[in-house]
Amino acid sequence: MTTHPPPRSLETEGLTKSFGGVRAVDGATVTFRHGRINALIGPNGSGKTTFFNCVTGMIRPDAGTVTYRGQQITGRPPHRIARAGIGRSFQLCRVFPRMTVLENMLVAVRPARLRDLVGGAGSPAETDKARRLLVRVGIDHLENVEAANLSYGQQKLLELAGVLMGDPDTIMLDEPAGGVNPALIGRIGTLIRELNDEGKTFLVVEHNMDMVMSLSHHVVVFDRGRPIAEGPPSAVRADPRVLEAYLGI
């Protein structure tokens, strides 16, 4: 019986972005698979976050293309890429510190109504959805707490819940375990697995190798702005190019 590879979710071809004379992303051609937990790893400064920013429209690439589920999205503004089905978190949490947890959730889905949402205004359906998601990530008891008073790990959970408010098909997480205690890292990993089982595709940038190797189906390794290896975690872990990039051996 002939087997077929899983459908492509996100592809880049020749993606390039320079800052001054430095190529942060250098002709990167990568494919991430639909329905999988994909990881993007690499040493500090290897271009991972710049790659994320090019894909999600935060910055415009100098060259190359980004294709999402067969549709070219290169250079589109972030809100249009979000509408296409891609949600993302950031390396440093982006929450409104003087707004409550619930208000942050409502702003995530209706950013144009920021002024109206201060004080908790929002449609009953949006508010109900926000509360269900807060239950799911385990911070529903904090809905009336200002985000500034959350731990950093709780802010990470809030940011993930806010991403889910938009019902994205693909979720891009930039260092979800960064600065988070081990118990919350486990909680975040469990959420990613559960959401993947429900059909969400993930692309995760992460330095926690234990998390990457236990969670991912497919790993892409960046060095100096371009992919140098990819495959299942077991193969990537043993690849001499990866050992050289990380350890210089």
Side-chain angles (χ1 to χ4, degrees):
M1 183 176 65
T2 302
T3 59
H4 299 282
R8 298 170 178 177
S9 178
L10 178 69
E11 302 173 83
T12 67
E13 185 173 350
L15 198 67
T16 301
K17 181 63 183 180
S18 297
F19 298 101
V22 178
R23 282 199 173 189
V25 179
D26 186 9
T29 296
V30 193
T31 297
F32 299 100
R33 297 295 183 180
H34 177 67
R36 298 286 185 89
I37 301 173
N38 303 273
L40 178 60
I41 67 172
N44 287 328
S46 59
K48 304 180 299 295
T49 293
T50 301
F51 178 86
F52 258 40
N53 288 339
C54 287
V55 167
T56 56
M58 302 300 295
I59 57 177
R60 182 179 289 272
D62 299 325
T65 59
V66 182
T67 304
Y68 180 61
R69 302 186 76 171
Q71 182 179 17
Q72 191 171 139
I73 60 170
T74 316
R76 289 186 183 180
H79 69 276
R80 289 189 61 196
I81 291 174
R83 285 183 198 152
I86 298 175
R88 75 162 290 182
S89 72
F90 291 85
Q91 187 174 354
L92 299 176
C93 276
R94 295 194 177 187
V95 297
F96 293 96
R98 295 303 171 192
M99 296 179 70
T100 69
V101 166
L102 183 60
E103 288 167 350
N104 268 274
M105 292 290 288
L106 298 173
V107 168
V109 74
R110 299 290 292 275
R113 292 179 53 219
L114 175 59
R115 183 178 301 174
D116 295 339
L117 289 171
V118 174
S123 75
E126 289 170 347
T127 302
D128 181 64
K129 179 179 181 179
R131 286 185 166 132
R132 291 197 311 271
L133 288 170
L134 290 175
V135 169
R136 177 152 201 187
V137 303
I139 56 171
D140 52 301
H141 61 294
L142 301 171
E143 73 166 62
N144 294 317
V145 175
E146 287 187 351
N149 294 323
L150 301 181
S151 71
Y152 193 66
Q154 289 167 339
Q155 289 184 13
K156 290 271 191 179
L157 291 171
L158 173 57
E159 190 177 37
L160 175 56
V163 170
L164 295 174
M165 283 291 287
D167 289 325
D169 296 315
T170 295
I171 300 172
M172 300 176 65
L173 302 179
D174 196 350
E175 296 195 27
V180 178
N181 69 53
L184 282 180
I185 289 174
R187 178 62 184 148
I188 291 168
T190 297
L191 284 166
I192 291 172
R193 286 190 188 93
E194 290 174 352
L195 290 162
N196 178 247
D197 287 343
E198 294 166 17
K200 300 291 188 186
T201 299
F202 279 87
L203 173 50
V204 181
V205 164
E206 187 49 65
H207 286 288
N208 185 319
M209 287 299 101
D210 288 339
M211 183 180 187
V212 167
M213 295 303 169
S214 66
L215 194 65
S216 307
H217 301 118
H218 184 76
V219 180
V220 174
V221 185
F222 261 36
D223 187 33
R224 300 178 185 178
R226 62 174 60 193
I228 59 168
E230 64 177 290
S234 57
V236 166
R237 189 198 303 266
D239 193 307
R241 293 168 296 180
V242 177
L243 296 174
E244 181 179 3
Y246 272 103
L247 303 176
I249 59 177

